[in-house]
Amino acid sequence: MSENTQNKLFFLDQHGCAKNQVDGELLISRLEAKGFKRTDEAEKADLIIVNSCGFIESAKEESLNSLFEARSAFPDKKIVLAGCLAERYAADFAENLPEADAIFGNGDLALVDTLVDKLFARAKDEESTFAVTAPQEGVCCGPRSEFLNFPASAYVKITEGCNNCCSFCAIPLIRGELRSRNRKEIVEEIKTLLEKGIFEINLIGQDLAGYGRDGIARGDSGNAAYFAEPSPLRLLLEDISALKGDFWLRLLYIHPDHFPRDIVPVIKADPRLLAYFDIPFQSGSNQVLKAMNRSGSAQNYAELTDFLRKSFDGDVTLRTTFLCGFPGETADNAKETEAFLSQVKPDWSGCFEYSREEDTAAYSMKNQVPFKTANKRAEKLRSMQEKISAEKLCRHMDKDYTVLIEEVIDDPENDAGIALGRCWFQAPEVDGATVVRYELDDPKQKARIFAGSVVKVHVTGVTGFDLDSILL
């Protein structure tokens, strides 16, 4: 433990996806082991870390604006730009981003020790920005003393990087090629989390279908090795299913071109393994899918949704993503995606405008679509999805569900007990919530409602993307 970092305070400004969140949690633990203490007040911190996102233009702008605002507000504090944006442009930022004292890549998070030692040991007149980076090897993991989710929920990263090389995506440029964690290591981490009182485990990676398929050539998803059974993901789920205890386990982000169908029997056999599938289809136009470097078709993807619904007798939740305004996407292509959305009717979907990312294959493609056009197409899909989600939510009416409570927002003036939580078919951050109403003047009911508690409710209504319910 360095004397230079003993009892100093740090503030983490977290951006980006769940994978970047796990990195932020690992940084918290590393810094605390170095003698730092975390504060939620940036003005009290000796060190400010902006854990950035570098996936799309809007996220990059948000991260950089946070850095600029921090430097403007706290000119004398030590400020580090970390995360995906820092990893992608480390050399350029070290030379041209004086607002940051240091740039920290995400190839090896253990190097944060080296970074802070250098940062707090150098003389005051050494003001040039420096970078600390490492090759993208392995999967950064380790103990986490704090989770940035709501209580009782955690993300577990099982892969890093990606071999799919979708033509619009910068992730392989940032995070590198696919790497998978050891199965035993993952199970041990989950076991430890359950012992700590975590109820909900969300497995994450850029593409969980790629788990254990390291070494297969980039883009070679047609290789027979991708479809060999039992799939590595199935074997992992079988090991997790052998764990004792009451918990939820959700799979997030599975590429549709090589969805491992052999995981379905394992999930059906264990109700703790949730029949929730996040499958980014991106488009309903075969022409656009081909340009995206996808090997599947709209027909393949529709068949996959049919397979999953039939496998679980309709008791399944499907989330997807659509990317609007991809280079060369015509009005007819957009209509094909609308028709596809109407056909597959996912429970949830995210609809985004294409972001032109340098060094990706799509960056130099002809017929770039104006943002206004892309936005109009995305808004149309969002409007369609809102109606579909409302229709889908109605099937939960007058049914009883388990809810993980995230936040208590009681209204004592009106003697109303109110909490927000999620059912199994509502993933953290991205889906709707379940509003739980209870008797505020009932001590027994009040004692059961707190952030992280798991309760039974009866669904009484649907409001937008959310459910209304009463405590049982």
Side-chain angles (χ1 to χ4, degrees):
M1 191 176 293
S2 169
E3 292 183 6
N4 291 321
T5 60
Q6 184 73 40
N7 294 321
K8 289 191 181 295
L9 300 178
F10 76 95
F11 174 80
L12 179 68
D13 183 6
Q14 180 66 39
H15 297 261
C17 66
K19 296 178 287 297
N20 208 43
Q21 178 178 310
V22 171
D23 288 352
E25 293 164 351
L26 291 170
L27 288 176
I28 290 172
S29 294
R30 298 284 320 187
L31 289 170
E32 289 178 343
K34 287 284 290 180
F36 281 89
K37 297 184 184 299
R38 185 177 175 226
T39 177
D40 290 327
E41 300 175 77
E43 59 271 19
K44 294 183 179 180
D46 301 288
L47 169 67
I48 294 175
I49 298 178
V50 178
N51 196 26
S52 65
C53 178
F55 185 50
I56 58 176
E57 191 62 33
S58 59
K60 290 189 282 188
E61 289 179 1
E62 179 182 295
S63 296
L64 285 175
N65 285 338
S66 293
L67 172 70
F68 298 149
E69 289 169 6
R71 177 54 70 202
S72 176
F74 311 112
D76 298 325
K77 294 187 185 296
K78 298 187 185 299
I79 302 178
V80 174
L81 181 69
C84 283
L85 186 63
E87 173 70 20
R88 188 174 183 187
Y89 302 105
D92 183 51
F93 284 162
E95 185 176 347
N96 300 304
L97 194 64
E99 290 83 1
D101 293 296
I103 308 300
F104 184 54
N106 53 25
D108 184 356
L109 298 179
L111 291 179
V112 72
D113 296 6
T114 302
L115 179 135
V116 295
D117 282 344
K118 180 176 180 179
L119 195 58
F120 283 90
R122 65 181 187 167
K124 290 185 178 180
D125 60 352
E126 293 182 70
E127 297 181 352
S128 60
T129 305
F130 67 92
V132 174
T133 61
Q136 289 286 340
E137 298 174 350
V139 180
C140 292
C141 53
R144 289 176 279 168
S145 57
E146 186 174 345
F147 301 95
L148 301 177
N149 298 48
F150 284 103
S153 177
Y155 294 110
V156 173
K157 190 187 298 188
I158 69 171
T159 68
E160 189 60 275
C162 187
N163 285 359
N164 290 313
C165 289
C166 297
S167 60
F168 56 84
C169 185
I171 292 299
L173 301 172
I174 301 170
R175 297 271 186 171
E177 295 186 355
L178 173 71
R179 293 98 67 195
S180 302
R181 289 177 66 188
N182 176 273
R183 214 163 69 225
K184 182 178 179 181
E185 180 183 278
I186 296 169
V187 175
E188 283 301 312
E189 179 178 0
I190 293 173
K191 184 178 179 181
T192 299
L193 293 175
L194 297 179
E195 291 171 351
K196 288 183 176 181
I198 297 296
F199 175 74
E200 177 185 67
I201 303 292
N202 297 285
L203 298 188
I204 58 171
Q206 194 59 32
D207 171 22
L208 298 191
Y211 174 73
R213 290 163 170 167
D214 313 27
I216 296 178
R218 283 174 175 254
D220 191 16
S221 58
N223 188 309
Y226 253 91
F227 300 96
E229 295 185 359
S231 67
L233 186 59
R234 175 184 175 126
L235 296 176
L236 173 62
L237 292 180
E238 288 176 340
D239 288 351
I240 294 171
S241 184
L243 293 172
K244 298 187 182 303
D246 189 20
F247 61 87
W248 282 346
L249 183 123
R250 182 182 289 104
L251 303 172
L252 295 178
Y253 326 128
I254 303 180
H255 196 292
D257 285 353
H258 40 262
F259 186 100
R261 299 191 180 201
D262 67 339
I263 67 175
V264 167
V266 184
I267 294 174
K268 287 183 66 176
D270 188 343
R272 301 173 304 173
L273 309 185
L274 305 181
Y276 181 107
F277 301 100
D278 187 344
I279 309 172
F281 293 131
Q282 304 298 4
S283 177
S285 164
N286 291 339
Q287 178 182 328
V288 173
L289 288 170
K290 184 177 180 180
M292 288 179 169
N293 197 33
R294 293 294 186 93
S295 61
S297 66
Q299 292 79 6
N300 296 149
Y301 297 167
E303 192 275 330
L304 175 59
T305 63
D306 288 342
F307 164 76
L308 292 172
R309 286 182 172 130
K310 289 176 181 177
S311 296
F312 292 93
D313 297 322
D315 194 18
V316 62
T317 295
L318 301 177
R319 161 169 273 279
T320 191
T321 305
F322 292 105
L323 191 61
C324 299
F326 186 81
E329 182 187 64
T330 66
D332 286 343
N333 296 151
K335 289 292 184 183
E336 290 172 335
T337 298
E338 292 173 16
F340 176 77
L341 175 58
S342 295
Q343 179 184 3
V344 300
K345 288 184 169 56
D347 296 81
W348 313 101
S349 73
C351 308
F352 304 97
E353 297 84 2
Y354 166 73
S355 176
R356 191 181 183 194
E357 296 300 314
E358 62 268 34
D359 299 322
T360 62
Y363 182 82
S364 58
M365 286 183 178
K366 297 179 180 179
N367 300 318
Q368 297 283 328
V369 177
F371 179 82
K372 286 186 178 180
T373 301
N375 176 255
K376 185 176 180 180
R377 293 172 182 174
E379 285 295 335
K380 178 62 181 296
L381 294 184
R382 292 180 192 123
S383 177
M384 293 174 63
Q385 183 61 55
E386 184 175 0
K387 295 175 182 178
I388 293 170
S389 292
E391 176 186 326
K392 291 285 185 178
L393 285 172
C394 286
R395 77 181 191 272
H396 302 299
M397 282 286 295
D398 295 320
K399 293 183 180 179
D400 298 341
Y401 288 105
T402 297
V403 168
L404 172 61
I405 299 297
E406 292 188 326
E407 186 177 7
V408 179
I409 52 172
D410 292 339
D411 183 7
E413 290 186 4
N414 295 307
D415 200 29
I418 304 171
L420 297 179
R422 290 181 291 103
C423 297
W424 70 266
F425 44 82
Q426 297 166 316
E429 304 294 338
V430 293
D431 298 335
T434 297
V435 179
V436 180
R437 302 183 187 278
Y438 65 100
E439 298 298 327
L440 195 57
D441 58 358
D442 185 331
K444 291 184 178 180
Q445 286 202 5
K446 189 172 181 179
R448 293 166 56 200
I449 297 290
F450 55 88
S453 66
V454 178
V455 298
K456 290 286 187 180
V457 306
H458 181 74
V459 176
T460 58
V462 176
T463 304
F465 287 108
D466 302 330
L467 293 177
D468 295 309
S469 72
I470 56 173
L471 181 67
L472 292 176

